Amino acid sequence: MKEASPEARLIVQPNAGLPIYEGGKTVYKETPETMAAFAVQYKELGVRIIGACCGSTPDHIRAIRASVSSG
């Protein structure tokens, strides 16, 4: 998308993985570390606003912030 419109302000808001139904609950198994690694890749691709959605916890947000703030 950045190639098609270089001036575009890209935003991502990924889930903490695919939802899985276990024991009567919907759970998300993606770790904060994995989401943080993807956040770095998004930043390298030109994404400027990186959030998180379903299944994300404060730990996920902290890890994302730390990963994109360093470097």
Side-chain angles (χ1 to χ4, degrees):
M1 290 183 76
K2 194 70 170 175
E3 238 177 74
S5 184
E7 72 285 351
R9 189 169 291 162
L10 301 180
I11 300 168
V12 296
Q13 190 175 2
N15 286 354
L18 291 173
I20 299 169
Y21 194 68
E22 284 184 349
K25 290 186 173 186
T26 301
V27 295
Y28 296 81
K29 295 195 174 191
E30 202 61 68
T31 66
E33 296 77 19
T34 302
M35 284 189 73
F38 277 110
V40 170
Q41 291 178 26
Y42 298 143
K43 184 178 177 183
E44 290 170 352
L45 291 170
V47 174
R48 294 294 166 247
I49 301 173
I50 302 171
C53 197
C54 302
S56 302
T57 66
D59 289 337
H60 288 88
I61 302 299
R62 277 190 286 278
I64 290 167
R65 181 176 182 192
S67 72
V68 298
S69 296
S70 62

